[in-house]
Amino acid sequence: MSSPVSETVCADRLLNDWLSSVGLGIEYSRAEANTLYFLDENGQEVPVLDHVCGFGSLIFGHNNPDIIEHAKSVLDQQIPVYVPLSRQSHANDIATTLNAILRRETPSKDGDYAAIFANSGAEAVEICVKHAELERRARTAKLTDDIGRHTEEAREAIRTGRATLPESGHVQVDQAGGPAERFERLIAEVERRNAELVARGPVHLALENAFHGKLVASVQLTQNPHWRVPFTSLASSTRFLPADRPEAMKAAVEGLRESLLDVLVDDGVVRVVERDFPVIGAFFVEPVQGANGMRPLTEAAAREIRAVCDAVGCPLIVDEIHSGMGRTGAFLASSHMGLRGDYYTLAKSIGGGIAKNSVALFHQDRFRPEFEVMHSSTFAKDGFSAAIAVKVLEMLEADDGRAYKVAAERGDRLKEMLTSVASDFPDVVDGAEGIGLMVALEFTDQTEASCQHLREKAGSGMLGYFLAGYVLREHRIRVLPVGPAGNSVRFEPSIHLTDADIARTESALRDVCTLLRHQEGHRLTP
């Protein structure tokens, strides 16, 4: 019997109560491949087809036998798991394999990427935030050093009479006194303005509807205001740009431009000129936007994003946490649209479904070696998760990349089914989006439905969760909404998805669509 304390003060009490209210409050007891099991009131196992698969973390499914066997052998060897500040060749083995894959899949095949390991996708993003700021600070330091040198050259030119000050210019100061006095007042004003700008934090760029995590820095890159706004004072700001209007990106970035003031001697005259200041820290991009209904970037958007980063000199950080590791039919989803990153983040399936692991990759032309000791983590790069990552990469690359081909083929078949459902129910389904085993079905807005139950649930943003609860209860299939609006339902199964699984899913979706068409919202309540 539970103690009184455990009944009143427990983990996730609010969350668990909410899950039960929408019909998702089930505790699963076992899992394999794409199937979860729970025990009914008679203690009998009930199978559930899992289309969530750890939010896309299980490219090889739950408890893959090859990965489990490998994990057991690793533990039986009593390998050292946590040995910080020691040589760890397994990390280099993973980085070597990842670099070979990146050279194969990225448009620019020159140069290797340095790897920094972490525990989760959000932490990998935060590592990139830190490294991008280190880069930006280095650029700023070089710029201010140049300005300081130019100031001394101008001061000497004024002192020796080789240069004069104009009566008017970019910065206005009191004209009283001699050239040297006026010059010092000018420099004081220049330095004041520059110091104010240098003291500001960076502005990062991300796409509208972005999701990059929920930690202190990464949540600022996640647009959903419910998650981001309470914490905006804790980290750098982010400008969200429209992915569907590539031509607008350049204009938006132009509006962020800031300049430091420099002092140069030009033809015997000291002039104040503007120098571009690196106000933009980095551009964070998901090749397939999970929180935006699994929408892939267009090639046009990818080209413009790369052009923006090249123009302003900031790193392009390609977030492959959700879309990478083979889920879209290639190791990198960004390879489908020719998007080349300066940094990459990987997580989810690299843990093989049993370990927590992630990695941030930095192109050698941008990587600052001192970062290896500036950032560290007790649990990152541990021996166990690294051994699992080695096995996962081996499985992905085996048989000439068969896993990628299966993901693409199974994903095409799944999306074909979703498209068929959308075609037959255009009144309640807007369409299917996605690529590979990262797809979604988007339902029409029900906030003005004739059925009060549907209106209320749609108005609260909870309709998708009630639909998921209905599908679980009536069809023993686990789906969840994707995106803040909750109108899209995600499908991210493993490569073990069968035709029978797809047929079961189609039957369930057609049932849901019929319910929506007939405005039978009362059936959604558990």
Side-chain angles (χ1 to χ4, degrees):
M1 179 179 292
S2 300
S3 67
V5 172
S6 67
E7 293 176 0
T8 57
V9 182
C10 64
D12 299 331
R13 180 175 183 179
L14 180 64
L15 176 62
N16 289 335
D17 288 347
W18 173 78
L19 287 172
S20 295
S21 73
V22 297
L24 296 173
I26 288 180
E27 181 171 351
Y28 296 97
S29 57
R30 190 167 68 87
E32 60 178 337
N34 286 317
T35 305
L36 292 164
Y37 297 87
F38 69 90
L39 301 178
D40 65 14
E41 60 273 13
N42 299 316
Q44 299 298 308
E45 278 194 337
V46 179
V48 173
L49 173 59
D50 185 13
H51 277 295
V52 180
C53 279
F55 294 130
S57 298
L58 305 171
I59 190 65
F60 292 116
H62 291 279
N63 291 313
N64 179 276
D66 292 333
I67 296 174
I68 295 297
E69 181 182 359
H70 178 72
K72 289 178 178 177
S73 71
V74 167
L75 293 175
D76 286 343
Q77 294 170 39
Q78 294 187 314
I79 65 163
V81 178
Y82 299 126
V83 194
L85 286 181
S86 67
R87 293 181 67 91
Q88 301 184 49
S89 61
H90 52 252
N92 195 61
D93 293 341
I94 296 169
T96 299
T97 302
L98 289 173
N99 270 292
I101 295 171
L102 262 64
R103 281 193 293 272
R104 182 186 72 220
E105 291 206 357
T106 55
S108 178
K109 297 179 172 60
D110 60 322
D112 285 339
Y113 287 77
I116 299 291
F117 290 84
N119 305 283
S120 68
E123 187 185 344
V125 169
E126 302 239 341
I127 288 173
C128 290
V129 171
K130 288 176 65 176
H131 191 278
E133 180 61 2
L134 200 62
E135 269 203 70
R136 193 183 75 93
R137 287 289 177 182
R139 293 171 62 197
T140 299
K142 183 180 184 308
L143 188 56
T144 54
D145 286 348
D146 288 346
I147 293 172
R149 187 176 68 257
H150 296 159
T151 298
E152 289 305 314
E153 291 171 354
R155 179 176 285 114
E156 180 63 15
I158 288 290
R159 187 187 68 80
T160 59
R162 292 183 291 106
T164 60
L165 286 169
E167 294 184 1
S168 61
H170 194 75
V171 177
Q172 295 297 314
V173 294
D174 186 353
Q175 295 297 308
E181 294 175 274
R182 288 188 287 126
F183 176 81
E184 294 304 328
R185 285 196 292 270
L186 174 69
I187 292 305
E189 179 62 16
V190 166
E191 290 178 344
R192 183 191 67 79
R193 296 189 192 185
N194 286 350
E196 287 182 357
L197 185 54
V198 169
R200 295 185 200 172
V203 176
H204 296 301
L205 305 177
L207 298 177
E208 292 177 353
N209 302 301
F211 181 92
H212 294 284
K214 293 182 179 179
L215 297 181
V216 171
S218 57
V219 77
Q220 306 305 327
L221 305 162
T222 294
Q223 190 178 27
N224 187 337
H226 179 71
W227 298 326
R228 176 176 50 84
V229 170
F231 311 106
T232 52
S233 64
L234 297 180
S236 303
S237 64
T238 301
R239 176 69 61 88
F240 295 98
L241 307 180
D244 58 348
R245 289 191 292 120
E247 72 285 352
M249 292 185 191
K250 192 174 296 183
V253 171
E254 187 66 23
L256 291 171
R257 284 189 62 182
E258 297 279 3
S259 298
L260 288 179
L261 299 179
D262 198 356
V263 180
L264 299 176
V265 178
D266 178 23
D267 196 22
V269 178
V270 173
R271 303 189 189 279
V272 176
V273 299
E274 293 185 338
R275 302 279 298 276
D276 281 341
F277 176 71
V279 65
I280 295 174
F283 200 151
F284 291 79
V285 175
E286 302 159 277
V288 183
Q289 288 194 294
N292 191 24
M294 306 299 186
R295 285 176 168 79
L297 280 183
T298 65
E299 290 186 12
R303 284 193 300 271
E304 191 58 42
I305 289 167
R306 184 68 259 178
V308 164
C309 291
D310 291 341
V312 302
C314 74
L316 169 55
I317 301 172
V318 180
D319 184 342
E320 292 271 10
I321 291 164
H322 201 167
S323 59
M325 303 295 299
R327 180 150 294 278
T328 65
F331 186 85
L332 298 173
S334 49
S335 67
H336 293 296
M337 62 278 306
L339 182 65
R340 177 181 60 81
D342 300 303
Y343 308 176
Y344 290 89
T345 57
L346 295 165
K348 291 191 182 287
S349 285
I350 201 171
I354 60 173
K356 298 174 182 177
N357 198 359
S358 65
V359 61
L361 299 167
F362 305 89
H363 193 275
Q364 63 180 17
D365 290 347
R366 308 195 77 113
F367 185 63
R368 303 191 65 82
E370 66 269 29
F371 191 71
E372 291 182 0
V373 293
M374 294 179 73
H375 180 89
S376 62
S377 170
T378 300
F379 300 115
K381 201 168 57 176
D382 72 273
F384 179 72
S385 68
I388 300 304
V390 169
K391 180 63 175 178
V392 169
L393 293 172
E394 175 188 301
M395 291 170 65
L396 285 170
E397 292 288 296
D399 300 326
D400 195 28
R402 179 179 177 274
Y404 307 129
K405 299 179 180 70
V406 173
E409 187 276 327
R410 291 287 79 194
D412 287 346
R413 177 69 189 90
L414 179 59
K415 189 174 181 182
E416 178 184 301
M417 179 274 288
L418 297 177
T419 302
S420 174
V421 171
S423 177
D424 290 345
F425 291 89
D427 50 327
V428 296
V429 178
D430 281 337
E433 293 285 351
I435 182 172
L437 291 171
M438 189 177 180
V439 292
L441 188 70
E442 184 174 359
F443 294 99
T444 57
D445 181 20
Q446 295 291 324
T447 54
E448 297 183 4
S450 59
C451 171
Q452 180 180 350
H453 289 85
L454 291 178
R455 283 200 313 275
E456 290 176 351
K457 290 172 173 56
S460 66
M462 291 293 107
L463 178 59
Y465 291 98
F466 279 96
L467 292 176
Y470 174 83
V471 171
L472 178 58
R473 184 172 65 253
E474 299 296 328
H475 297 274
R476 298 305 186 215
I477 296 176
R478 187 169 188 255
V479 296
L480 285 176
V482 57
N487 286 349
S488 294
V489 174
R490 69 172 70 224
F491 299 88
E492 302 176 273
S494 79
I495 60 174
H496 300 297
L497 183 71
T498 66
D499 286 341
D501 293 335
I502 294 173
R504 276 185 63 194
T505 305
E506 180 173 9
S507 177
L509 291 174
R510 289 182 179 276
D511 180 22
V512 168
C513 290
T514 301
L515 179 153
L516 292 174
R517 174 175 283 174
H518 295 161
Q519 296 290 285
E520 297 176 326
H522 62 279
R523 294 175 57 193
L524 296 178
T525 303

Short mmCIF file of all heavy atoms in Angstrom, two decimals, residues 18 85 105 131 155 167 169 194 210 227 233 261 280 300 333 345-346 403-404 411 421-422 477 486 491:
data_model
loop_
_atom_site.label_atom_id
_atom_site.label_comp_id
_atom_site.label_asym_id
_atom_site.label_seq_id
_atom_site.Cartn_x
_atom_site.Cartn_y
_atom_site.Cartn_z
N TRP A 18 -4.10 15.06 -16.23
CA TRP A 18 -4.49 15.57 -17.55
C TRP A 18 -4.50 14.45 -18.59
O TRP A 18 -5.43 14.36 -19.41
CB TRP A 18 -3.54 16.68 -17.98
CG TRP A 18 -3.78 17.13 -19.39
CD1 TRP A 18 -4.77 17.96 -19.83
CD2 TRP A 18 -3.01 16.77 -20.54
NE1 TRP A 18 -4.67 18.12 -21.20
CE2 TRP A 18 -3.62 17.40 -21.65
CE3 TRP A 18 -1.90 15.96 -20.73
CZ2 TRP A 18 -3.12 17.25 -22.94
CZ3 TRP A 18 -1.40 15.82 -22.02
CH2 TRP A 18 -2.01 16.46 -23.11
N LEU A 85 37.70 13.31 -18.02
CA LEU A 85 39.10 13.73 -18.11
C LEU A 85 40.03 12.52 -18.24
O LEU A 85 40.99 12.35 -17.48
CB LEU A 85 39.49 14.59 -16.90
CG LEU A 85 38.94 16.02 -16.91
CD1 LEU A 85 39.40 16.78 -15.68
CD2 LEU A 85 39.35 16.75 -18.18
N GLU A 105 27.07 12.87 -47.64
CA GLU A 105 25.73 13.42 -47.79
C GLU A 105 25.67 14.93 -47.96
O GLU A 105 24.67 15.45 -48.44
CB GLU A 105 24.85 13.01 -46.60
CG GLU A 105 24.53 11.53 -46.58
CD GLU A 105 23.23 11.23 -45.85
OE1 GLU A 105 22.60 12.16 -45.31
OE2 GLU A 105 22.85 10.05 -45.83
N HIS A 131 29.01 27.89 -28.42
CA HIS A 131 30.11 27.98 -29.37
C HIS A 131 29.91 29.13 -30.34
O HIS A 131 30.87 29.82 -30.71
CB HIS A 131 30.27 26.66 -30.13
CG HIS A 131 31.53 26.59 -30.94
ND1 HIS A 131 31.64 27.15 -32.19
CD2 HIS A 131 32.75 26.06 -30.65
CE1 HIS A 131 32.86 26.96 -32.65
NE2 HIS A 131 33.55 26.30 -31.75
N ARG A 155 45.26 59.33 -33.85
CA ARG A 155 45.75 60.23 -32.78
C ARG A 155 47.15 60.73 -33.11
O ARG A 155 47.45 61.92 -32.95
CB ARG A 155 45.73 59.48 -31.44
CG ARG A 155 46.24 60.31 -30.28
CD ARG A 155 46.14 59.59 -28.95
NE ARG A 155 44.76 59.55 -28.45
CZ ARG A 155 44.03 58.45 -28.32
NH1 ARG A 155 44.55 57.28 -28.65
NH2 ARG A 155 42.79 58.51 -27.85
N GLU A 167 34.84 69.75 -39.88
CA GLU A 167 33.94 70.50 -39.00
C GLU A 167 32.63 69.77 -38.78
O GLU A 167 31.93 70.01 -37.80
CB GLU A 167 33.68 71.89 -39.60
CG GLU A 167 34.92 72.77 -39.63
CD GLU A 167 34.61 74.16 -40.12
OE1 GLU A 167 33.42 74.43 -40.41
OE2 GLU A 167 35.54 74.98 -40.21
N GLY A 169 30.56 65.76 -39.41
CA GLY A 169 30.81 64.36 -39.74
C GLY A 169 29.76 63.46 -39.11
O GLY A 169 28.69 63.92 -38.66
N ASN A 194 30.27 52.57 -29.06
CA ASN A 194 30.72 51.21 -29.35
C ASN A 194 30.56 50.30 -28.13
O ASN A 194 30.16 49.13 -28.26
CB ASN A 194 32.18 51.22 -29.80
CG ASN A 194 32.35 51.74 -31.22
OD1 ASN A 194 31.37 51.93 -31.95
ND2 ASN A 194 33.59 51.99 -31.62
N ALA A 210 9.42 27.10 -35.10
CA ALA A 210 10.59 26.29 -34.75
C ALA A 210 10.42 25.63 -33.40
O ALA A 210 9.76 26.15 -32.50
CB ALA A 210 11.84 27.18 -34.73
N TRP A 227 5.67 28.11 -24.11
CA TRP A 227 6.90 27.57 -23.55
C TRP A 227 7.98 28.63 -23.43
O TRP A 227 8.82 28.56 -22.53
CB TRP A 227 7.43 26.43 -24.44
CG TRP A 227 6.50 25.27 -24.54
CD1 TRP A 227 5.67 24.79 -23.57
CD2 TRP A 227 6.31 24.42 -25.68
NE1 TRP A 227 4.97 23.70 -24.03
CE2 TRP A 227 5.34 23.45 -25.32
CE3 TRP A 227 6.85 24.38 -26.96
CZ2 TRP A 227 4.91 22.46 -26.20
CZ3 TRP A 227 6.41 23.40 -27.83
CH2 TRP A 227 5.46 22.45 -27.46
N SER A 233 13.53 36.61 -20.43
CA SER A 233 14.54 37.45 -19.78
C SER A 233 15.82 36.69 -19.42
O SER A 233 16.80 37.30 -18.99
CB SER A 233 13.96 38.07 -18.50
OG SER A 233 13.64 37.05 -17.55
N LEU A 261 31.58 52.09 -34.75
CA LEU A 261 32.22 53.25 -35.36
C LEU A 261 33.72 53.08 -35.35
O LEU A 261 34.32 52.70 -34.33
CB LEU A 261 31.82 54.53 -34.61
CG LEU A 261 30.32 54.84 -34.59
CD1 LEU A 261 30.05 56.12 -33.80
CD2 LEU A 261 29.76 54.96 -36.00
N ILE A 280 24.19 39.19 -35.07
CA ILE A 280 23.52 37.90 -35.22
C ILE A 280 24.45 36.79 -34.76
O ILE A 280 25.57 36.66 -35.25
CB ILE A 280 23.07 37.68 -36.67
CG1 ILE A 280 22.01 38.72 -37.05
CG2 ILE A 280 22.51 36.27 -36.86
CD1 ILE A 280 21.61 38.68 -38.51
N ALA A 300 14.41 26.20 -52.20
CA ALA A 300 14.55 27.66 -52.28
C ALA A 300 14.84 28.26 -50.91
O ALA A 300 15.70 29.14 -50.76
CB ALA A 300 13.30 28.29 -52.88
N ALA A 333 18.40 14.71 -42.97
CA ALA A 333 17.26 15.20 -43.74
C ALA A 333 17.67 16.39 -44.60
O ALA A 333 17.12 16.60 -45.70
CB ALA A 333 16.14 15.60 -42.80
N THR A 345 23.41 19.19 -35.15
CA THR A 345 23.07 18.53 -33.89
C THR A 345 22.36 17.22 -34.19
O THR A 345 21.50 17.15 -35.07
CB THR A 345 22.16 19.41 -33.01
OG1 THR A 345 20.97 19.76 -33.73
CG2 THR A 345 22.87 20.67 -32.56
N LEU A 346 22.72 16.18 -33.44
CA LEU A 346 22.12 14.85 -33.58
C LEU A 346 21.78 14.32 -32.19
O LEU A 346 22.50 14.57 -31.23
CB LEU A 346 23.09 13.88 -34.26
CG LEU A 346 23.47 14.19 -35.71
CD1 LEU A 346 24.70 13.37 -36.11
CD2 LEU A 346 22.31 13.88 -36.65
N ALA A 403 18.90 0.38 -44.17
CA ALA A 403 17.94 1.01 -43.25
C ALA A 403 17.38 2.29 -43.84
O ALA A 403 16.18 2.59 -43.68
CB ALA A 403 18.61 1.30 -41.91
N TYR A 404 18.21 3.07 -44.54
CA TYR A 404 17.73 4.31 -45.15
C TYR A 404 16.70 3.99 -46.24
O TYR A 404 15.68 4.67 -46.36
CB TYR A 404 18.89 5.10 -45.76
CG TYR A 404 20.04 5.36 -44.82
CD1 TYR A 404 21.34 5.06 -45.20
CD2 TYR A 404 19.83 5.93 -43.57
CE1 TYR A 404 22.41 5.30 -44.35
CE2 TYR A 404 20.89 6.18 -42.72
CZ TYR A 404 22.18 5.85 -43.11
OH TYR A 404 23.23 6.10 -42.26
N GLY A 411 8.09 4.93 -45.43
CA GLY A 411 7.53 6.28 -45.31
C GLY A 411 6.67 6.64 -46.51
O GLY A 411 5.60 7.25 -46.35
N VAL A 421 -6.48 9.02 -47.39
CA VAL A 421 -7.48 9.42 -46.40
C VAL A 421 -7.84 10.89 -46.58
O VAL A 421 -9.03 11.27 -46.57
CB VAL A 421 -6.95 9.16 -44.97
CG1 VAL A 421 -7.90 9.77 -43.93
CG2 VAL A 421 -6.78 7.67 -44.72
N ALA A 422 -6.83 11.72 -46.78
CA ALA A 422 -7.08 13.15 -46.97
C ALA A 422 -7.93 13.40 -48.21
O ALA A 422 -8.83 14.26 -48.22
CB ALA A 422 -5.76 13.90 -47.08
N ILE A 477 -4.17 2.08 -30.99
CA ILE A 477 -3.09 2.70 -31.76
C ILE A 477 -2.69 3.98 -31.04
O ILE A 477 -3.55 4.79 -30.67
CB ILE A 477 -3.52 3.01 -33.21
CG1 ILE A 477 -3.83 1.71 -33.95
CG2 ILE A 477 -2.42 3.79 -33.95
CD1 ILE A 477 -4.36 1.92 -35.36
N GLY A 486 -2.24 21.73 -32.47
CA GLY A 486 -2.83 20.42 -32.19
C GLY A 486 -3.72 19.88 -33.28
O GLY A 486 -4.46 18.92 -33.06
N PHE A 491 3.20 10.74 -37.13
CA PHE A 491 3.47 9.32 -37.38
C PHE A 491 4.98 9.18 -37.54
O PHE A 491 5.54 9.61 -38.55
CB PHE A 491 2.74 8.83 -38.63
CG PHE A 491 1.24 8.96 -38.54
CD1 PHE A 491 0.60 10.13 -38.92
CD2 PHE A 491 0.48 7.92 -38.03
CE1 PHE A 491 -0.77 10.26 -38.82
CE2 PHE A 491 -0.90 8.04 -37.92
CZ PHE A 491 -1.53 9.22 -38.31
#
